[in-house]
């Protein structure tokens, strides 16, 4: 009996020893803050794809409000006597309008209706501001009246107001309608109610809770990310399918009513997700982008054309697709003028426009990107011309160049070589890769040259099979981002892409935030970005296991940092394995950690997704945590991401 007990004791000791050896031992050098983490490290990238602007972030509910689509009445249904004209228009850059005349029959109505973008989302008790520019059609006219109605999906009128027009010169008219019910698929009708014929232009409907013309709930989604940098307006729309359809920022400022329409680069790009009604009204323009940057506390990063239209769509030897090097001055002037618009005094031409639009204070622009996803010799020879003049006039502005559309290969290597020669401040890298690629590349920047340009990971996302916003994709991004933070001396900033997608109008996925006409949903990827944004710290701390960085062995990834503003120590750990992990984290140089918080992001199903009708499949959960002196004991669930903050 005694021998049996001794044997059992020996076995227990052996098993205990085995368990101790299986436990992971992380060491954080807490008393030696390392390289600085830029405030811009984790940010967002906006491009008008997936109906991200018109029909999305821009709160305008009327499609083709100024009748400028190539098919002038696209988005509108008309009845009775409705015609389109451009004689003596209200706006010279948006010259088309409609004329409503009597139908010629006593009981036949004249008017038009608009269903917005995939329907008009009406909310109970929400007030909606209707505006229209109108004039009597006849010079000797006296008076007429129009009626505007909100109509639900059952074709019942739920709100209406009348407007009397007495002037034969263009005038702005407004009224407010209150919806008594919620309906995702409403519409708006405008009738010629009585009297004489009338001209109407810029027919508009906004919810009253909009923020500077933007959808309030989507602005809140962005603000809650706590992004450090905001890259806009693209992306490929910067380049345009051709030079004529490139994004021209000067067309996107000034009165919204007179901002000219532009074709959207994505309206016919994907035959399986075709949207021939996809245009840019520029209601969401550069002024609004700067305002939004300020609102959400992010540094603005505008991207401008380098004089090359989309190289995917055009051959390099097509002289009509690309501006000759000696013809670039107007494009360079656009860049210089943009900096003046953002930062210039109110006495300057473009600074005055900013002030006239309502923002006399500068926007404090610090960086600018020239070109999007360009590659080959065409790009650096043009970029050089921009850099010479920008540096001469604005030497403190950082310039971001591009390494092309791929994460490696001949064009990527050539791009980096040329960016180093030119001396750009940052090089924009893009990678849309599999979750396995992200897990395997957490050490991507460990051996990058510490001299020369910094890295801007300007577009990235993990694309699992069928491109879902799955927890597998989000967790792989969390693992990869430990490498961004650990290498903050070379990685200046990073922005997930794309940002928005309408559930009925998407063309590309995954996307950070999905929405319909009433609500939005934050993806699992969103919460990964949010946790990094809330816990970026100011200085990297060394975190090792057995003297090595933790970047994938046994499925574990980890990084640590210090926040000098809150005197906090932050540890992020991703467990991408299918096994629970026990980890001991020792904070060397500290005697005792204060009480802290732990936030866990996890789902039992690696394919779990947050969706409009099921928003909480993967959400962060925060609780209190207490270390034992300077030692933190961690028991991590399989396939989880945790953030500890003390």
């Amino acid at each position: 009996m005694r021998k049996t007990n001794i044997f059992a004791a020996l076995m227990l000791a052996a098993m205990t020893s085995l368990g101790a050896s299986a436990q992971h031992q992380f060491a954080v050098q807490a008393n030696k803050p390392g390289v600085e983490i830029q405030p811009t490290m984790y940010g967002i990238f906006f491009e008008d794809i997936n109906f991200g602007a018109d029909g999305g972030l821009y709160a305008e509910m009327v499609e083709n409000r100024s009748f400028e689509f190539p098919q002038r009445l696209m988005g509108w249904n008309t009845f009775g006597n409705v015609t389109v004209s451009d004689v003596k228009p209200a706006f010279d850059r948006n010259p088309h309008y409609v004329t409503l005349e009597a139908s010629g029959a006593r009981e036949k109505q004249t008017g038009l209706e608009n269903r917005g973008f995939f329907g008009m989302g009406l909310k109970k008790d929400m007030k909606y501001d209707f505006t229209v520019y109108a004039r009597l059609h006849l010079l000797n006219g006296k008076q007429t009246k129009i009626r505007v109605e909100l109509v639900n999906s059952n074709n019942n009128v739920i709100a209406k107001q009348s407007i009397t027009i007495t002037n034969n010169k263009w005038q702005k008219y407004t009224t407010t309608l209150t919806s008594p019910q919620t309906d995702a698929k409403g519409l708006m009708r405008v009738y010629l109610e009585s009297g004489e014929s009338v001209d109407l232009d810029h027919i508009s409907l906004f919810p009253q809770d909009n923020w500077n013309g933007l959808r309030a709930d989507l602005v809140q989604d962005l603000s809650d990310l706590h992004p450090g940098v905001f890259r806009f307006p693209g992306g490929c729309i910067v380049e345009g399918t051709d030079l004529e359809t490139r994004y021209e920022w000067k067309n996107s400022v000034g009165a919204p009513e007179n901002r000219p329409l532009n074709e959207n680069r994505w309206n016919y790009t994907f035959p399986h997700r075709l949207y021939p009604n996809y245009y840019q009204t520029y209601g969401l323009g550069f002024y609004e982008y700067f305002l939004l940057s300020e609102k959400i506390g992010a540094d603005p990063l505008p991207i401008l054309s380098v004089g090359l239209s989309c190289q995917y769509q055009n051959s390099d030897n097509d002289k009509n697709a690309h501006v000759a090097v000696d013809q670039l001055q107007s494009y360079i002037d656009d860049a210089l003028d943009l900096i003046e618009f953002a930062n210039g005094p109110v006495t300057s031409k473009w600074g005055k426009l900013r002030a006239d639009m309502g923002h006399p204070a500068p926007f404090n622009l610090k960086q600018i990107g020239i070109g999007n996803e360009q590659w080959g010799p065409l790009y650096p020879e043009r970029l050089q011309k921009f850099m010479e003049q920008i540096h001469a006039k604005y030497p403190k502005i950082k310039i971001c160049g591009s390494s092309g559309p791929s994460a490696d290969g001949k064009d990527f290597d050539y791009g980096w070589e040329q960016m180093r020669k030119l001396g750009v401040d940052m090089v924009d890298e893009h990678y849309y890769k599999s979750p396995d690629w992200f897990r395997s590349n957490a050490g991507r920047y460990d051996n990058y040259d510490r001299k020369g340009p910094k890295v801007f990971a300007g577009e990235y996302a993990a694309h699992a099979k069928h491109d879902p916003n799955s927890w597998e994709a989000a967790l792989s991004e969390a693992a990869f981002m430990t490498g961004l933070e650990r290498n903050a001396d070379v990685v200046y900033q990073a922005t997930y892409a794309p940002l928005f997608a309408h559930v009925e109008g998407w063309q590309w996925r995954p996307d950070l935030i999905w929405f319909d006409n009433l609500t939005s949903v934050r993806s699992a990827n969103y919460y990964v970005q949010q946790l990094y944004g809330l816990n970026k710290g100011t200085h990297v701390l060394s975190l090792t296991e057995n003297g090595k960085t933790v970047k994938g062995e046994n499925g574990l990834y980890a990084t640590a940092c210090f926040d000098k503003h809150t005197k906090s120590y932050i540890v992020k750990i991703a467990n991408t394995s299918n096994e629970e992990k026990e980890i001991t984290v020792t904070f060397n140089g500290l005697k005792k950690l204060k009480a802290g918080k732990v936030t866990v992001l996890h789902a039992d199903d690696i394919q779990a997704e947050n969706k409009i009708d099921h928003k909480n499949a993967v959400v962060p959960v925060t609780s209190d945590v207490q270390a034992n002196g300077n030692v933190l004991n961690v028991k991590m669930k399989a396939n989880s991401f945790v953030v500890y903050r003390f």
Side-chain angles (χ1 to χ4, degrees):
M1 186 72 177
R2 186 178 179 186
K3 289 182 179 179
T4 302
N5 288 339
I6 292 172
F7 178 76
L10 290 171
M11 286 296 295
L12 178 62
M15 291 174 67
T16 302
S17 175
L18 181 63
S21 65
Q23 186 181 61
H24 293 272
Q25 307 283 337
F26 291 177
V28 176
Q29 202 61 43
N31 60 344
K32 294 183 179 180
V35 298
E36 182 181 0
I37 300 170
Q38 295 299 321
T40 58
M41 175 60 99
Y42 307 113
I44 52 179
F45 160 60
F46 180 87
E47 178 164 18
D48 188 5
I49 189 173
N50 306 316
F51 285 84
D54 294 283
L57 182 58
Y58 189 49
E60 173 64 78
M61 298 171 67
V62 178
E63 183 181 30
N64 190 17
R65 63 187 178 185
S66 294
F67 309 99
E68 295 301 327
F69 284 18
Q71 298 177 41
R72 303 301 179 199
L73 290 172
M74 180 179 277
W76 295 92
N77 294 324
T78 65
F79 46 92
N81 191 354
V82 180
T83 55
V84 178
S85 180
D86 61 358
V87 177
K88 296 183 179 179
F91 308 104
D92 63 314
R93 296 201 293 180
N94 287 323
H96 295 93
Y97 58 88
V98 291
T99 299
L100 277 56
E101 299 181 88
S103 64
R106 182 181 302 139
E107 295 183 354
K108 188 175 182 180
Q109 305 291 325
T110 287
L112 63 172
E113 66 179 26
N114 192 289
R115 297 177 182 271
F117 302 88
F118 312 102
M120 287 187 177
L122 303 173
K123 295 182 179 180
K124 184 179 180 179
D125 298 329
M126 178 66 71
K127 296 181 184 299
Y128 295 90
D129 292 329
F130 173 85
T131 62
V132 63
Y133 286 79
R135 70 180 176 190
L136 296 170
H137 180 61
L138 300 176
L139 290 176
N140 61 352
K142 301 298 182 183
Q143 179 176 299
T144 195
K145 187 180 288 188
I146 61 172
R147 183 175 76 252
V148 56
E149 298 178 347
L150 298 182
V151 183
N152 68 15
S153 54
N154 293 321
N155 203 31
N156 297 319
V157 176
I158 58 175
K160 60 183 178 181
Q161 291 287 349
S162 295
I163 296 174
T164 300
I165 294 116
T166 59
N167 200 325
N168 60 17
K169 299 196 182 293
W170 288 108
Q171 185 175 330
K172 184 178 181 179
Y173 296 87
T174 64
T175 191
T176 299
L177 302 98
T178 302
S179 175
Q181 59 188 244
T182 294
D183 196 318
K185 297 291 184 180
L187 61 92
M188 178 193 70
R189 287 197 187 112
V190 180
Y191 286 91
L192 179 63
E193 189 171 43
S194 65
E196 305 164 6
S197 54
V198 66
D199 297 333
L200 304 178
D201 196 4
H202 198 82
I203 301 175
S204 174
L205 188 71
F206 276 87
Q208 274 195 356
D209 70 342
N210 76 84
W211 180 86
N212 284 286
L214 307 186
R215 231 178 93 167
D217 59 333
L218 300 184
V219 170
Q220 191 62 54
D221 286 335
L222 298 185
S223 182
D224 288 348
L225 279 168
H226 298 269
V229 65
F230 179 35
R231 177 183 177 224
F232 59 85
C236 293
I237 66 168
V238 169
E239 307 159 355
T241 302
D242 47 42
L243 292 173
E244 184 179 347
T245 57
R246 75 187 188 278
Y247 196 106
E248 297 185 63
W249 78 266
K250 290 175 179 175
N251 288 339
S252 78
V253 295
E257 297 89 340
N258 207 26
R259 300 177 188 177
L261 187 80
N262 191 21
E263 176 184 285
N264 191 295
R265 162 72 173 76
W266 302 109
N267 64 357
Y268 50 76
T269 301
F270 302 108
H272 66 294
R273 301 291 297 177
L274 193 66
Y275 293 102
N277 60 326
Y278 197 3
Y279 291 88
Q280 302 174 79
T281 64
Y282 285 151
L284 171 55
F286 265 50
Y287 178 71
E288 289 76 21
Y289 286 127
F290 279 117
L291 285 180
L292 181 57
S293 298
E294 194 172 70
K295 166 74 172 177
I296 63 180
D299 279 9
L301 173 51
I303 309 296
L304 298 185
S305 170
V306 74
L308 299 174
S309 58
C310 181
Q311 289 178 271
Y312 282 114
Q313 302 285 331
N314 302 278
S315 63
D316 284 359
N317 60 7
D318 186 345
K319 294 182 179 179
N320 294 319
H322 311 301
V323 181
V325 175
D326 61 358
Q327 299 294 315
L328 281 172
Q329 191 56 50
S330 65
Y331 287 72
I332 297 170
D333 289 342
D334 282 348
L336 298 173
D337 292 343
L338 176 61
I339 299 170
E340 181 178 288
F341 177 77
N343 294 350
V346 296
T347 54
S348 66
K349 175 183 176 180
W350 294 102
K352 181 180 184 302
L353 177 59
R354 182 192 69 240
D356 290 345
M357 294 184 72
H359 200 285
F363 284 116
N364 195 27
L365 179 66
K366 300 173 185 174
Q367 50 181 306
I368 190 171
I370 305 298
N372 170 47
E373 239 173 23
Q374 270 67 55
W375 65 83
L378 294 180
Y379 177 53
E381 64 180 350
R382 285 163 176 77
L383 177 60
Q384 181 179 6
K385 300 298 182 182
F386 282 79
M387 292 181 63
E388 290 169 355
Q389 294 192 43
I390 292 173
H391 279 154
K393 191 169 184 178
Y394 299 105
K396 292 184 179 180
I397 293 290
K398 294 183 182 296
I399 298 177
C400 183
S402 171
S403 60
S406 303
D408 49 33
K410 181 181 67 175
D411 289 332
F412 175 84
D413 293 340
Y414 175 81
W416 259 101
E417 174 190 305
Q418 294 301 309
M419 295 305 101
R420 287 192 181 94
K421 287 181 179 179
L422 290 176
V424 299
D425 297 286
M426 285 172 282
V427 179
D428 185 4
E429 294 188 357
H430 295 178
Y431 26 84
Y432 299 102
K433 298 285 190 177
S434 69
D436 183 64
W437 184 92
F438 277 87
R439 291 188 293 265
S440 300
N441 277 270
R444 174 180 177 87
Y445 297 111
D446 290 356
N447 299 315
Y448 262 49
D449 188 352
R450 265 48 192 170
K451 298 177 181 178
K454 304 299 183 183
V455 171
F456 169 37
E459 294 183 30
Y460 69 94
H463 284 228
K465 187 177 181 180
H466 304 307
D467 300 322
N469 278 102
S470 64
W471 174 229
E472 178 192 18
L475 181 58
S476 71
E477 291 157 5
F480 174 80
M481 291 170 72
T482 61
L484 301 182
E485 184 168 283
R486 185 175 60 252
N487 289 284
D489 55 333
V490 70
V491 180
Y492 195 86
Q493 57 199 23
T495 54
Y496 181 99
L499 187 56
F500 285 120
H502 194 296
V503 294
E504 294 184 60
W506 67 269
Q507 299 154 304
W508 176 290
R509 59 183 183 183
D511 305 280
L512 206 63
I513 301 166
W514 289 79
F515 62 90
D516 61 15
N517 290 337
L518 294 175
T519 187
S520 67
V521 59
R522 300 171 175 185
S523 66
N525 315 72
Y526 174 101
Y527 289 116
V528 167
Q529 296 294 324
Q530 184 186 59
L531 287 176
Y532 271 92
L534 284 168
N535 299 283
K536 60 174 164 279
T538 57
H539 292 83
V540 176
L541 297 175
S542 171
L543 184 153
T544 58
E545 182 177 26
N546 298 322
K548 298 179 181 179
T549 56
V550 181
K551 54 182 178 181
E553 188 173 351
N554 298 307
L556 289 174
Y557 303 78
T559 185
C561 61
F562 177 69
D563 187 336
K564 69 178 182 181
H565 303 300
T566 59
K567 308 298 182 186
S568 300
Y569 296 91
I570 304 165
V571 173
K572 304 178 186 75
I573 309 173
N575 177 12
T576 64
S577 76
N578 294 321
E579 299 174 347
E580 184 181 85
K581 300 289 186 181
E582 291 188 5
I583 306 166
T584 297
V585 185
T586 303
F587 290 77
N588 295 322
L590 298 182
K591 292 183 178 180
K592 184 178 181 180
L593 288 164
K594 61 185 179 182
K597 298 283 186 182
V598 57
T599 302
V600 179
L601 197 57
H602 166 75
D604 291 332
D605 180 3
I606 199 71
Q607 300 306 323
E609 289 185 72
N610 295 337
K611 296 188 176 182
I612 287 288
D613 57 355
H614 186 50
K615 297 184 179 184
N616 299 319
V618 189
V619 294
V621 177
T622 300
S623 58
D624 296 329
V625 66
Q626 182 66 61
N628 182 13
N630 70 338
V631 177
L632 171 66
N633 294 307
V634 178
K635 183 174 285 188
M636 281 194 73
K637 294 180 180 180
N639 295 308
S640 64
F641 176 56
V642 298
V643 179
Y644 287 89
R645 188 174 187 123
F646 296 94

